């Protein structure tokens, strides 16, 4: 499969602050990003939810997951916006699987990246995903790479899936995550990469408040120093 070729972001000095939060599933991105946005009064954008919304529409409309043309058209449509689909519907396991497939389609990525960039033109944003600090906003004012060890991430996923407390299930989830990390790290077209200038934040064993506090302090320091985004 071909890697998505996406034009560089030309808006070198965006007027509004952009905070990019990337990292693997289960690192705590959604909870942390939402809370950081809340504290700063920025708009929170979950880019993964947009890939999920495309997948959900495709499943509902019977669009084949290898029909790149129709999937790109869907992704460009007005119905795909953050928050455009009910949260429960886009979190269903079959939608997760379909989202992973549609997110590998270059035209879908191009369409969603354009929308993500537009959103930062009118407001300060905290955007979470896999490629926000590398592809969507290489010039983001603050870049965070959030991580946690596979066991902790598995525990969080188990809580999300309602299977916390099931020891065997947790072991299985931890093994699955470790395997997926390995695959992602070695896949040439994986969207998840750490930007060289991202701040690494490991959430293992830390409270949400502690992690959020660290990131908010970083953003405040960066915005007080008046430094714009780097090109
Ligand atoms: O973070 P999530 O699980 O909601 O993401 C859903 C899917 O979309 C997942 O397969 C990763 C992919 N994704 C992506 O490729 N790029 C992003 N910026 C965000 C998510």
């Amino acid at each position: 499969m071909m890697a998505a070729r996406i034009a560089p972001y030309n808006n070198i000095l965006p007027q509004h602050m952009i905070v990019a939060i990337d990292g693997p599933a289960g690192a705590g991105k959604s909870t942390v990003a939402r809370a950081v946005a809340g504290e700063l009064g920025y708009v929170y954008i979950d880019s993964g939810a947009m890939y999920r919304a495309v997948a959900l529409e495709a499943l509902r409309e019977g669009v084949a997951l290898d029909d790149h043309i129709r999937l790109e058209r869907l992704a460009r449509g007005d119905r795909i916006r953050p928050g455009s689909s009910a949260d429960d519907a886009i979190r269903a396991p079959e939608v997760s699987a379909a989202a992973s497939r549609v997110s590998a389609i270059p035209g879908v990525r191009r369409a969603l990246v354009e929308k993500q960039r537009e959103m930062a033109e009118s407001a300060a944003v905290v955007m979470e995903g896999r490629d926000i600090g590398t592809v969507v906003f290489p010039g983001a004012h603050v870049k965070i790479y959030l991580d946690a060890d596979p066991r902790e991430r598995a525990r969080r996923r188990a809580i999300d899936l309602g299977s916390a407390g099931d020891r065997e299930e947790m072991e299985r989830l931890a093994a699955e995550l470790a395997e997926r990390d390995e695959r992602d790290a070695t896949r040439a077209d994986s969207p998840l990469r750490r930007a060289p200038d991202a701040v690494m934040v490991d959430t293992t064993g830390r409270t949400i408040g502690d992690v959020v506090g660290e990131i908010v302090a970083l953003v405040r320091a960066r915005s007080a120093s008046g430094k714009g985004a780097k090109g």
Side-chain angles (χ1 to χ4, degrees), residues 22 25 29-30 46-49 51-52 91 96 99-101 103-104 109 116 128-132 136 191:
D22 292 303
K29 291 192 303 286
S30 297
D46 175 358
S47 66
Y51 289 94
R52 288 172 178 274
R91 307 281 157 204
S96 301
S100 169
R101 288 189 58 189
S103 75
R109 300 202 73 82
Q116 289 152 10
E128 63 146 299
R130 307 287 193 285
D131 59 343
I132 310 305
V136 185

Side-chain angles (χ1 to χ4, degrees), residues 25-209:
K29 291 192 303 286
S30 297
T31 311
V32 167
R34 189 177 279 120
V36 167
E39 272 206 35
L40 293 166
Y42 293 4
V43 174
Y44 162 65
I45 300 169
D46 175 358
S47 66
M50 298 172 74
Y51 289 94
R52 288 172 178 274
V54 174
L56 178 65
E57 289 279 318
L59 295 176
R60 283 186 175 162
E61 297 189 9
V63 177
L65 296 179
D66 58 0
D67 188 340
H68 292 202
I69 308 271
R70 283 188 71 194
L71 289 168
E72 178 173 351
R73 204 177 303 143
L74 249 183
R76 290 196 181 277
D78 284 341
R79 273 185 291 174
I80 308 300
R81 291 271 149 215
S84 63
S85 306
D87 214 48
D88 313 351
I90 59 170
R91 307 281 157 204
E94 65 274 21
V95 179
S96 301
S100 169
R101 288 189 58 189
V102 307
S103 75
I105 299 169
V108 170
R109 300 202 73 82
R110 274 194 296 272
L112 297 191
V113 168
E114 279 172 27
K115 289 186 177 186
Q116 289 152 10
R117 287 173 177 170
E118 270 169 30
M119 285 163 203
E121 281 168 15
S122 51
V125 298
V126 176
M127 197 178 294
E128 63 146 299
R130 307 287 193 285
D131 59 343
I132 310 305
T134 50
V135 175
V136 185
F137 299 116
H141 302 79
V142 176
K143 297 182 191 179
I144 306 293
Y145 189 93
L146 216 58
D147 210 346
D149 74 41
R151 201 164 289 277
E152 173 98 2
R153 287 162 49 212
R155 194 180 63 80
R156 292 179 188 151
R157 260 189 72 75
I159 293 170
D160 285 348
L161 299 172
S163 54
D166 181 338
R167 217 188 163 73
E168 248 173 58
E169 178 63 4
M170 296 252 293
E171 293 294 331
R172 199 189 59 72
L173 283 168
E176 192 184 285
L177 276 171
E179 194 188 304
R180 190 171 356 139
D181 284 353
E182 174 65 22
R183 210 180 327 131
D184 275 356
T186 50
R187 224 180 85 182
D189 63 349
S190 165
L192 179 61
R193 267 192 305 274
R194 190 169 81 76
D197 53 347
V199 177
M200 282 289 288
V201 176
D202 190 324
T203 63
T204 312
R206 293 178 65 183
T207 66
I208 293 162

